[in-house]
């Protein structure tokens, strides 16, 4: 009886795994054939099963990019970048999609090597590193208090700990700032939350925005690349 149950369970798991691979392969086939909307539909279904898979977001971004929706492509590349910042393809495609709208991944004046170092780890990885080092520092501190040993090592670990938590603080500040991308061909930035307010600027598709507030069908945003602040319609942007 146990053998029968084990065999049935194995067959079910194998069938489920084959089904997932088959769907993924079908999406890749659609993509190669230029059927981007069909591939996108499969990837979006897959996203419901694996919401933290950066490569699903990456493939969704690729589909949107091929379909000409550079803003939605940038939003999904950015989601993938947050989960897997070391992936060269994700970083390259994110930079490319932002550049198509006149935006930059690396802010002006910031060396690219410094930007890559700052985003070398994901936010969760930085958090894990900081707390692991905190535990190590506490362990070394206990040894020093009990035996008065490893003082230099303790001081060195304190310096590293300060760097880790400084890094974590900076990344946490970024995580707490809701970002969005202009998804419409153009987003009008108005002085208030309504079409009765005058437009102060028009921002093209693909630009990054920092969301500050919301009211009805409007978001108050900061256009990072231009230093503008105003209100845009919710339908015109995609939150990351």
């Amino acid at each position: 009886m146990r053998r029968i149950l084990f065999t049935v369970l194995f067959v079910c798991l194998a069938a489920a795994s084959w089904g997932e691979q088959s769907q993924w392969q079908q999406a890749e086939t659609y993509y190669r054939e230029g059927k981007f909307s069909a591939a996108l539909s499969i990837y979006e279904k897959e996203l419901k099963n694996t919401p933290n898979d950066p490569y699903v977001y990456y493939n969704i971004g690729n589909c949107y990019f091929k379909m000409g929706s550079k803003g939605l492509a940038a939003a999904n590349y950015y989601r993938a970048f947050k989960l897997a910042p070391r992936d060269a393809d994700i970083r390259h495609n994110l930079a490319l999609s932002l550049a198509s709208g006149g935006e930059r991944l690396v802010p002006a004046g910031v060396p690219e090597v410094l930007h890559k170092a700052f985003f070398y780890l994901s936010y969760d990885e930085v958090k894990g590193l900081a707390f692991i080092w905190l535990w190590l520092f506490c362990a070394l501190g206990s040894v020093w208090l009990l035996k008065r040993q490893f003082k230099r090592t303790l001081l060195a670990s304190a310096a590293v700990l300060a760097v880790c938590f400084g890094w974590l603080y900076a990344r946490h500040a970024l995580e707490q700032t809701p970002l969005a991308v202009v998804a419409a061909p153009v987003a009008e930035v108005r002085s208030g939350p309504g079409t009765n307010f005058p437009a102060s600027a028009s921002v093209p598709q693909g630009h990054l925005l920092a969301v500050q507030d919301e009211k009805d069908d409007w978001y108050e945003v900061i256009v990072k690349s231009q230093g503008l602040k105003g209100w845009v319609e919710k339908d015109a942007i995609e939150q990351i």
Side-chain angles (χ1 to χ4, degrees):
M1 186 66 179
R2 289 182 179 178
R3 288 184 177 180
I4 294 173
L5 290 174
F6 177 79
T7 302
V8 171
L9 179 60
F10 177 79
V11 170
C12 290
L13 290 173
S17 176
W18 180 85
E20 287 181 7
Q21 292 178 1
S22 178
Q23 287 291 308
W24 194 270
Q25 290 170 355
Q26 184 63 63
E28 291 178 345
T29 300
Y30 282 143
Y31 187 85
R32 287 194 299 269
E33 293 175 350
K35 300 175 181 177
F36 305 119
S37 60
L40 176 62
S41 178
I42 294 176
Y43 288 133
E44 287 182 332
K45 289 179 182 177
E46 183 64 24
L47 187 62
K48 295 178 181 178
N49 299 324
T50 55
N52 293 317
D53 187 336
Y55 301 104
V56 177
Y57 285 118
Y58 174 72
N59 286 320
I60 290 174
N62 286 339
C63 290
Y64 275 123
F65 193 87
K66 290 293 187 179
M67 293 164 65
S69 298
K70 305 296 176 61
L72 292 175
N76 282 282
Y77 287 144
Y78 208 107
R79 290 165 183 149
F81 178 72
K82 290 176 71 174
L83 293 167
R86 291 185 296 279
D87 189 284
D89 290 333
I90 291 174
R91 183 182 179 90
H92 175 267
N93 283 17
L94 173 58
L96 185 65
S97 63
L98 292 174
S100 68
E103 183 67 275
R104 298 173 55 128
L105 173 61
V106 181
V110 176
E112 186 169 354
V113 65
L114 183 60
H115 188 270
K116 285 184 176 180
F118 183 72
F119 287 102
Y120 185 76
L121 301 179
S122 69
Y123 173 67
D124 287 340
E125 289 172 338
V126 174
K127 188 190 298 183
L129 176 65
F131 283 98
I132 288 172
W133 208 269
L134 177 61
W135 178 86
L136 178 61
F137 175 76
C138 291
L140 286 171
S142 298
V143 172
W144 182 79
L145 288 173
L146 292 173
K147 298 185 177 181
R148 301 300 180 184
Q149 294 179 350
F150 307 118
K151 182 178 179 180
R152 291 184 179 180
T153 305
L154 180 63
L155 293 175
S157 68
V160 175
L161 182 65
V163 171
C164 288
F165 271 90
W167 190 8
L168 177 60
Y169 177 81
R171 291 293 296 273
H172 181 73
L174 289 177
E175 288 290 319
Q176 294 304 304
T177 302
L179 293 178
V181 177
V182 176
V186 174
E188 291 188 329
V189 182
R190 297 182 178 273
S191 59
T195 55
N196 55 314
F197 291 91
S200 57
S202 294
V203 184
Q205 184 176 191
H207 262 60
L208 281 174
L209 311 171
V211 179
Q212 301 291 297
D213 198 1
E214 65 178 293
K215 183 177 181 181
D216 300 327
D217 295 328
W218 295 79
Y219 283 125
E220 185 181 29
V221 301
I222 294 175
V223 184
K224 301 182 71 175
S225 61
Q226 301 179 25
L228 296 173
K229 187 174 183 179
W231 294 81
V232 298
E233 290 186 273
K234 289 183 177 180
D235 291 342
I237 67 175
E238 175 79 5
Q239 280 200 284
I240 297 171

